[in-house]
Amino acid sequence: MNTYWSFRKKSMERNHSFHHHPKAFHVLGPQHISSPGWRELISSSWKDESYKRITMACFVQAVYLLELDRQENRSRETALAPQWLTPFKYKLVEVLVDERDGSIFAAVLEWDQAAALADFIPVRPTGAPKVVLAIRGTLLRNPTIRRDIEDDLRYLAWESLKGSFRFDRVLADIKSIINIQGSKNVSITGHSLGAGFALEVYKALAADGTYIEAHLFNPPSVSLAMSLRILGGKAGFVWKRFKSMLPSNSQNLGKGADEAAAEVTESRITSELKQMLPMPHLYVNTGDYICYYYNYPDGGQNSIFHSNKEKEAKLRNGQTGVKLFVVSKGKQRFLEAHRLQQWWSDDLEFQMALNNSMLISRQLNSLYTINSSS
């Protein structure tokens, strides 16, 4: 009898801890949305940018918790990660494990048709991807810190994550998924270092003419190479201003009519191509020095924000290859500005910025130009 009550007591303590854990979905997760009914889900939810952003951020949080569940030996009954998937009708189908330390760094999630049918949702809603590959960022814990920091330093030194074991694994997995599901049914998302991997994978796919939806939270932009380019960019801006003072016809010396017409045609094709393809969504906070340079304007402009009418017109015209969402809250501590939680917060206020960012121009715009000529 004593053994029985001891077991019951421990079980009740585990359940209490599970339900009141600070990272439980109902404690930390979005408080202003609930699991939608079938009418709302099919008609509107996944067509809404905010709902999609919240969902993708929650999926990345699930990957962080998959690793923490593993480290803390939580059972299937007390695991925290599934809570962040079930409200959105998705399920875990695969975890990506770094074989060097056994850590979970990414996960493949899939639309859960059985769970959807149980809630009278007969079909997958328009805009909801069939498969999502989510990638976590750095975890400063002993089991994972070494490999995470290695990749952080790799980006800091070379502004690239190619050559990393994790990059190769994610790229191979998502190519396999696309071969089965088709690129229109696949999305990739990540936070911090994970967003860096997601962006590298997106670029690798785009270079081969394959485009998928991407949601990147606090993607890394700080690197030694970037700092040198910023300094070079300032000098370049002065030179551009000087050239603008020269007679306008001097800019077209030696340029024939055919060459000028070809440039116009290429510009039009590139614009149309961008309009047709899914644009990656980048979410940055101006108080986060890790992703700050995505907000650093191209050509020395003072601001990259535009009026709603102007930016909507430019987005419709396909003159941008990325959607950049910027949060600016004045002075913030770095950890607060960098945290994933802010992207499902109910008091989130952000602006959409056009992509005349130095970093975006260099990293993404060339992909559309390259493929428009093929």
Side-chain angles (χ1 to χ4, degrees):
M1 182 66 70
N2 289 338
T3 303
Y4 169 76
W5 285 113
S6 176
F7 171 79
R8 282 294 303 274
K9 182 179 179 181
K10 289 181 180 178
S11 177
M12 291 173 67
E13 288 174 351
R14 282 197 302 270
N15 288 334
H16 181 273
S17 175
F18 169 71
H19 289 297
H20 293 83
H21 195 283
K23 287 184 169 57
F25 180 79
H26 71 278
V27 176
L28 182 64
Q31 303 299 311
H32 57 296
I33 67 166
S34 57
S35 185
W38 69 272
R39 290 182 185 275
E40 180 186 3
L41 190 56
I42 292 176
S43 64
S44 63
S45 293
W46 276 96
K47 298 177 184 178
D48 179 63
E49 292 275 6
S50 294
Y51 182 84
K52 189 173 287 189
R53 166 180 47 80
I54 290 167
T55 303
M56 291 295 172
C58 289
F59 287 170
V60 178
Q61 177 68 11
V63 182
Y64 277 107
L65 290 172
L66 281 168
E67 173 57 19
L68 293 177
D69 285 343
R70 182 191 74 86
Q71 291 182 19
E72 297 171 14
N73 297 314
R74 295 193 185 98
S75 65
R76 179 177 295 183
E77 292 74 21
T78 59
L80 297 170
Q83 302 176 18
W84 293 79
L85 304 178
T86 53
F88 306 103
K89 312 305 178 197
Y90 278 78
K91 62 182 178 180
L92 174 68
V93 294
E94 182 186 1
V95 293
L96 277 64
V97 176
D98 191 324
E99 298 171 356
R100 299 166 301 177
D101 60 11
S103 66
I104 298 170
F105 65 92
V108 178
L109 315 174
E110 189 176 273
W111 172 256
D112 191 344
Q113 188 60 50
L117 286 172
D119 282 347
F120 307 103
I121 302 171
V123 295
R124 179 164 50 94
T126 301
K130 187 171 183 181
V131 179
V132 178
L133 199 156
I135 314 169
R136 67 166 174 84
T138 303
L139 270 175
L140 299 179
R141 291 195 169 204
N142 284 333
T144 60
I145 188 171
R146 178 182 174 185
R147 300 304 180 185
D148 289 354
I149 293 297
E150 278 183 5
D151 284 326
D152 288 326
L153 294 176
R154 182 189 301 273
Y155 188 90
L156 178 63
W158 297 297
E159 200 178 330
S160 174
L161 291 164
K162 290 183 178 179
S164 165
F165 167 86
R166 296 179 181 183
F167 170 80
D168 293 338
R169 176 68 193 281
V170 171
L171 183 59
D173 265 48
I174 205 159
K175 282 184 175 180
S176 177
I177 293 168
I178 289 171
N179 287 338
I180 298 171
Q181 305 292 351
S183 60
K184 292 182 179 179
N185 295 316
V186 179
S187 293
I188 191 167
T189 185
H191 172 247
S192 188
L193 177 62
F197 278 116
L199 181 58
E200 290 283 355
V201 169
Y202 176 90
K203 292 194 295 181
L205 294 172
D208 290 333
T210 301
Y211 293 87
I212 60 175
E213 186 176 337
H215 293 264
L216 313 173
F217 301 97
N218 301 85
S221 68
V222 178
S223 71
L224 299 178
M226 182 63 196
S227 298
L228 292 173
R229 290 190 183 102
I230 290 292
L231 294 174
K234 291 179 178 178
F237 174 63
V238 173
W239 171 241
K240 287 180 182 178
R241 289 293 298 271
F242 173 75
K243 286 202 301 181
S244 69
M245 299 170 64
L246 300 175
S248 58
N249 61 355
S250 67
Q251 297 177 2
N252 295 316
L253 279 175
K255 183 180 293 186
D258 291 341
E259 186 179 349
E263 287 185 1
V264 172
T265 302
E266 181 181 357
S267 176
R268 179 180 59 79
I269 292 173
T270 301
S271 177
E272 292 175 355
L273 183 63
K274 289 180 183 178
Q275 192 172 19
M276 295 169 57
L277 298 170
M279 292 184 288
H281 295 60
L282 273 64
Y283 306 91
V284 305
N285 187 316
T286 57
D288 175 11
Y289 64 79
I290 285 182
C291 62
Y292 170 77
Y293 282 131
Y294 280 104
N295 192 45
Y296 193 95
D298 205 357
Q301 298 175 27
N302 293 326
S303 173
I304 61 174
F305 297 111
H306 296 253
S307 68
N308 288 334
K309 289 184 179 179
E310 183 181 359
K311 68 191 177 192
E312 286 174 4
K314 289 197 175 188
L315 288 171
R316 281 197 305 271
N317 292 334
Q319 294 175 7
T320 178
V322 62
K323 287 186 178 181
L324 177 65
F325 300 91
V326 180
V327 168
S328 182
K329 293 186 176 181
K331 289 186 177 181
Q332 275 186 299
R333 292 184 177 181
F334 161 69
L335 290 179
E336 184 180 2
H338 189 67
R339 66 182 181 176
L340 178 61
Q341 181 183 346
Q342 67 184 304
W343 300 110
W344 65 72
S345 172
D346 57 0
D347 63 348
L348 182 65
E349 295 183 4
F350 58 80
Q351 294 175 280
M352 184 188 293
L354 294 179
N355 70 321
N356 57 335
S357 156
M358 177 183 296
L359 196 55
I360 292 174
S361 296
R362 191 179 74 254
Q363 288 200 353
L364 291 172
N365 283 356
S366 61
L367 293 175
Y368 298 94
T369 305
I370 290 170
N371 284 285
S372 67
S373 61
S374 58

